[in-house]
Amino acid sequence: MAITVQQNHNYQYQDVKVLYVEDEVFSREKLLRIINRRFSDVHVAIDGEEGFQLYQQHLPDLIIVDIKVMSGLDMIKNIRKHNEKVQIIVTTAHDDNDVFIQCIEHTVNHFILKPIDLDRFLLAIQKSVQQIQQEKGLLKQNQLTKALIDTQDHLLFIEDHGHIVEFNQAFATFTGIEKTKGLHKSNLVAALFVEDSNYFYPKNKGKWIEEIIQTEKKYAKVMWKGQKDKQGIYLMKGSQIPGKKQILFVCTEISLLEEEYKKNEILSMMDPLTHSLNRKKFEELLASEISRSERYNHPFSIILMDIDYFNNVNDYSGHKKGDEVLVTISTIVQQRIRESDVLARWGGDAFILLTPETNSPGAMALAESIRALINTFVFPKIGSVTCSFGVAEFSAGKSKIELISEVEQALSKSKIKGRNCVTFFNSSIGE
């Protein structure tokens, strides 16, 4: 469906044609009111297929599209095959890093996470319109290429046989270099890289270009530090300029999106009540620790614990008090263990500990110290609470399932023995 709006000389942005693609009715109507107040020529589609048809019919200057379904991303890919310069603003509820990277690959100009921050959205529109207006004006002046490179928010530079032969103002501002007639050495860029295990860092700084170009998709996430210690995370992509041996590098800042992504990643691995890890993340770390132990022959143990007669706490004191007990026990354990130890909520009233570089005597001593701390703690309006513990040590050739089964058997033995005690698994425990 296309919406035609009568011309109104009071529109904020004149002579800018807009295509808006959104499949959710409420979101579409809400944002469309904002768009229609600023543009006189707006066309609306409900999915990527219709959006691409409207694009071919009207050739809009600005495209605003929601990436909720893959058809939106397919539409962007198809449009970029026809037009590399049209301004594209993406709105999305996705926090998937792969979706974001695909958008960057197809030169999306602005990326807005939902719920939409209106100020950020309007700023993106303003920047896109400025770019559109500059392009139209510069086409008349035959100065498009050089002016565009300076109006981009991205850091842009061109490398040619060990020298930076051209760069934009954003790159100059970040690095502190001046636009002089002289050439700058490419090792200027090598000095920007900050070593961090989460981001690309060249093994040989003298060959950083080759290392990036040799990556499968010719891009990498990098952490850079510029002048005045300004630090940022960028998606850095290099591509050879057609007909030349020069390489154009485009660096898009993703610092805020990386921060949001990491927060979401941390939340996804945490138990929301006790702020310990969840079971899924614990099992991932346990598998990694087994591999590390097999490779380096280092010991480690696991400790499984649960609260004795926890149902009585819920039944007589209420679930709110039960939750408070869980949080308190998690806090007691986390304050007792080392930074290298890992605590996770195993389920219900059970917690599990991973203790790297710890053999069975060390794990037994740790479990006993935690048991004693909980046993002597006075829980408000409840009094005494005790826990039972099982301990198992990893040995070469043992699988994750076998190790967990052993620690569960050891915990069961503690319950049989009367609870509030620690039991280490051995081969005779089930006899």
Side-chain angles (χ1 to χ4, degrees):
M1 64 178 189
I3 293 180
T4 303
V5 182
Q6 292 183 353
Q7 290 292 331
N8 184 329
H9 295 294
N10 294 324
Y11 283 116
Q12 185 174 356
Y13 304 118
Q14 298 290 340
D15 303 321
V16 175
K17 197 179 300 182
V18 178
L19 169 62
Y20 176 40
V21 184
E22 168 64 74
D23 64 347
E24 202 279 312
V25 176
F26 177 77
S27 296
R28 183 170 65 241
E29 291 179 352
K30 182 178 179 181
L31 208 59
L32 189 56
R33 287 195 294 269
I34 296 170
I35 296 170
N36 277 336
R37 285 199 296 265
R38 289 161 175 82
F39 299 93
S40 60
D41 192 351
V42 180
H43 306 274
V44 181
I46 61 172
D47 58 35
E49 289 81 2
E50 185 182 18
F52 186 62
Q53 291 175 4
L54 289 177
Y55 167 78
Q56 291 177 308
Q57 292 174 23
H58 302 285
L59 299 177
D61 306 296
L62 171 63
I63 298 168
I64 302 170
V65 55
D66 177 72
I67 300 297
K68 188 174 296 180
V69 292
M70 290 309 294
S71 65
L73 193 56
D74 291 338
M75 183 195 78
I76 293 173
K77 294 177 183 178
N78 289 328
I79 288 174
R80 281 298 182 223
K81 291 177 183 178
H82 294 78
N83 190 332
E84 296 180 353
K85 300 187 184 302
V86 64
Q87 289 286 307
I88 299 178
I89 298 174
V90 160
T91 66
T92 181
H94 281 291
D95 57 2
D96 188 336
N97 216 29
D98 289 336
V99 172
F100 169 68
I101 287 175
Q102 287 185 68
C103 288
I104 292 295
E105 281 188 275
H106 292 88
T107 325
V108 167
N109 302 94
H110 300 282
F111 195 88
I112 310 292
L113 289 177
K114 289 184 173 181
I116 292 174
D117 182 318
L118 183 57
D119 289 338
R120 188 176 176 186
F121 177 69
L122 293 178
L123 181 60
I125 284 180
Q126 182 182 2
K127 288 184 176 182
S128 289
V129 170
Q130 287 175 348
Q131 186 77 21
I132 292 165
Q133 291 172 340
Q134 287 174 353
E135 283 188 27
K136 290 181 176 181
L138 290 169
L139 280 170
K140 297 176 182 178
Q141 302 169 29
N142 197 26
Q143 297 175 347
L144 178 61
T145 303
K146 186 172 179 58
L148 279 179
I149 200 171
D150 273 336
T151 56
Q152 290 286 330
D153 291 332
H154 310 308
L155 310 186
L156 306 179
F157 63 96
I158 297 173
E159 198 279 340
D160 187 356
H161 294 88
H163 291 88
I164 298 173
V165 296
E166 184 60 82
F167 53 91
N168 70 342
Q169 187 57 49
F171 182 81
T173 301
F174 182 82
T175 59
I177 67 174
E178 297 180 1
K179 286 198 164 189
T180 61
K181 293 182 179 180
L183 299 179
H184 298 275
K185 294 284 188 180
S186 297
N187 59 12
L188 176 149
V189 173
L192 300 175
F193 289 98
V194 176
E195 188 168 5
D196 187 297
S197 59
N198 296 308
Y199 303 103
F200 170 85
Y201 186 79
K203 297 177 181 178
N204 182 342
K205 284 194 172 184
K207 296 184 177 181
W208 68 266
I209 297 174
E210 291 91 332
E211 290 185 32
I212 285 186
I213 295 300
Q214 286 170 4
T215 59
E216 183 179 351
K217 294 185 178 181
K218 294 183 175 58
Y219 68 76
K221 286 197 291 185
V222 302
M223 182 180 289
W224 273 5
K225 180 182 285 187
Q227 68 165 340
K228 298 180 181 179
D229 290 332
K230 181 182 178 182
Q231 192 162 295
I233 300 167
Y234 293 85
L235 191 69
M236 184 179 188
K237 182 178 180 181
S239 56
Q240 188 166 334
I241 298 175
K244 298 184 179 180
K245 293 185 178 181
Q246 297 176 333
I247 301 173
L248 170 65
F249 286 95
V250 180
C251 306
T252 304
E253 185 167 13
I254 58 173
S255 302
L256 291 177
L257 287 165
E258 278 289 284
E259 185 178 339
E260 291 180 24
Y261 177 76
K262 286 180 179 178
K263 286 179 181 177
N264 290 336
E265 189 177 38
I266 291 171
L267 289 174
S268 71
M269 68 176 68
M270 300 295 290
D271 173 58
L273 176 64
T274 64
H275 300 297
S276 56
L277 293 182
N278 59 30
R279 182 168 180 158
K280 179 182 177 183
K281 187 60 182 180
F282 181 88
E283 291 193 6
E284 290 177 9
L285 295 175
L286 179 58
S288 297
E289 189 63 23
I290 288 174
S291 298
R292 192 180 77 91
S293 182
E294 293 274 16
R295 182 175 180 181
Y296 299 107
N297 195 29
H298 288 183
F300 80 89
S301 302
I302 60 173
I303 302 169
L304 183 62
M305 56 179 282
D306 74 4
I307 304 169
D308 297 330
Y309 305 111
F310 184 67
N311 285 339
N312 291 344
V313 176
N314 283 329
D315 291 342
Y316 298 121
S317 302
H319 287 278
K320 184 177 180 182
K321 281 296 177 184
D323 287 348
E324 290 176 5
V325 169
L326 289 169
V327 172
T328 301
I329 287 178
S330 174
T331 302
I332 290 172
V333 176
Q334 292 189 64
Q335 289 178 345
R336 171 62 184 84
I337 62 179
R338 307 166 299 177
E339 286 189 11
S340 58
D341 297 332
V342 176
L343 173 68
R345 188 175 179 187
W346 193 241
D349 60 338
F351 293 88
I352 194 165
L353 264 168
L354 170 63
T355 59
E357 307 293 336
T358 305
N359 56 20
S360 55
M364 288 288 289
L366 174 60
E368 176 57 32
S369 69
I370 294 171
R371 185 204 65 78
L373 284 170
I374 295 170
N375 188 47
T376 58
F377 188 87
V378 179
F379 292 79
K381 297 183 180 181
I382 294 175
S384 177
V385 173
T386 63
C387 290
S388 299
F389 295 78
V391 178
E393 181 181 356
F394 176 77
S395 58
K398 195 177 293 183
S399 70
K400 180 178 72 172
I401 294 174
E402 289 171 334
L403 184 61
I404 291 173
S405 175
E406 289 178 0
V407 79
E408 287 176 338
Q409 291 179 61
L411 174 60
S412 295
K413 190 70 173 181
S414 287
K415 293 179 181 180
I416 293 171
K417 290 191 300 185
R419 305 176 192 265
N420 192 24
C421 61
V422 179
T423 302
F424 176 72
F425 175 86
N426 57 56
S427 57
S428 63
I429 202 168
E431 298 176 358

